[in-house]
Amino acid sequence: MRVSYVRLLICLAILTLTFASPAAAQMPDGKSLDEVNKELSNPISSIWALQLQENTYWLNKPDRNVVNLQFQPVLPLALTDNWNLITRPVFQVMNSTPYVNQSGHLHRVTGFGDTILATLLSPSPKLAGPWLLGLGPSFIFPTASNSRLGQNKWQIGPAGYLDTWVVSGLPEYFLSSGFQSEVQDRRLPAR
């Protein structure tokens, strides 16, 4: 009797999942999960996307690989019905390229890197049609916790975004402001 009760519960669970799946695939505003996925892959959509990206650069030996982790949220804000402001900061935790310190040992530094901020003004599809466009300033702030993890200077430059069905890209170009940041080296002295 107990075995048939368990079978009945399993059958009910399978039926519930079968009929509940299409209903769960619809978002409250009527969008399907496919539509939401397309918006999430569009860097200038109306959905806030909180992304983590890990990059590993393998050098000639396993103990010499370089790893960085980037938190890259994309935060769009509708200014009007026709224009959006997209803010895209990039926060980094980095692992420096190995180097030989004063005592002759291989050393590396781990900490926070510089912060990058791109702000793009983007027209809505009403104005741009099938094109995805964005243009605005981009900044690099010297927030590195160690001089080996950042460029140690303030930078500014233009940023743009262009996406068609064939090509997409987010080019950025930075000019140094000439102001040097006062980053202190937080490593322990060599013994």
Side-chain angles (χ1 to χ4, degrees):
M1 180 106 155
R2 182 175 165 105
V3 173
S4 63
Y5 180 71
V6 172
R7 286 183 185 166
L8 178 64
L9 285 177
I10 291 173
C11 288
L12 283 174
I14 291 172
L15 285 173
T16 303
L17 291 174
T18 302
F19 291 110
S21 295
Q26 294 290 324
M27 300 302 289
D29 57 357
K31 293 182 181 178
S32 71
L33 288 179
D34 289 335
E35 291 170 335
V36 172
N37 189 27
K38 286 178 185 176
E39 285 191 42
L40 281 173
S41 63
N42 173 5
I44 57 175
S45 72
S46 61
I47 295 178
W48 282 32
L50 307 176
Q51 304 169 0
L52 288 172
Q53 177 179 326
E54 187 262 336
N55 301 309
T56 301
Y57 305 100
W58 298 98
L59 302 176
N60 56 356
K61 294 183 181 176
D63 62 338
R64 293 188 179 198
N65 63 335
V66 177
V67 178
N68 74 9
L69 177 68
Q70 297 178 338
F71 176 57
Q72 304 175 349
V74 178
L75 311 169
L77 176 67
L79 298 176
T80 66
D81 288 341
N82 294 329
W83 292 95
N84 295 322
L85 176 68
I86 291 91
T87 306
R88 187 175 183 264
V90 178
F91 305 100
Q92 306 179 74
V93 176
M94 301 181 75
N95 185 334
S96 73
T97 305
Y99 63 95
V100 178
N101 62 12
Q102 293 174 347
S103 63
H105 294 93
L106 197 60
H107 186 72
R108 70 172 69 229
V109 178
T110 301
F112 292 104
D114 290 340
T115 300
I116 303 167
L117 176 66
T119 54
L120 303 170
L121 190 61
S122 172
S124 71
K126 291 186 232 176
L127 297 178
W131 295 79
L132 297 174
L133 305 169
L135 187 65
S138 189
F139 308 93
I140 295 180
F141 303 106
T143 57
S145 59
N146 185 288
S147 61
R148 291 190 178 269
L149 301 175
Q151 298 178 12
N152 201 21
K153 55 187 168 184
W154 298 82
Q155 298 178 57
I156 187 170
Y161 183 78
L162 171 67
D163 189 359
T164 65
W165 291 310
V166 180
V167 177
S168 70
L170 178 65
E172 295 175 308
Y173 179 78
F174 295 100
L175 300 170
S176 176
S177 67
F179 294 109
Q180 295 293 319
S181 174
E182 297 297 324
V183 176
Q184 293 180 356
D185 198 353
R186 293 181 174 86
R187 290 179 289 161
L188 295 174
R191 295 180 188 218

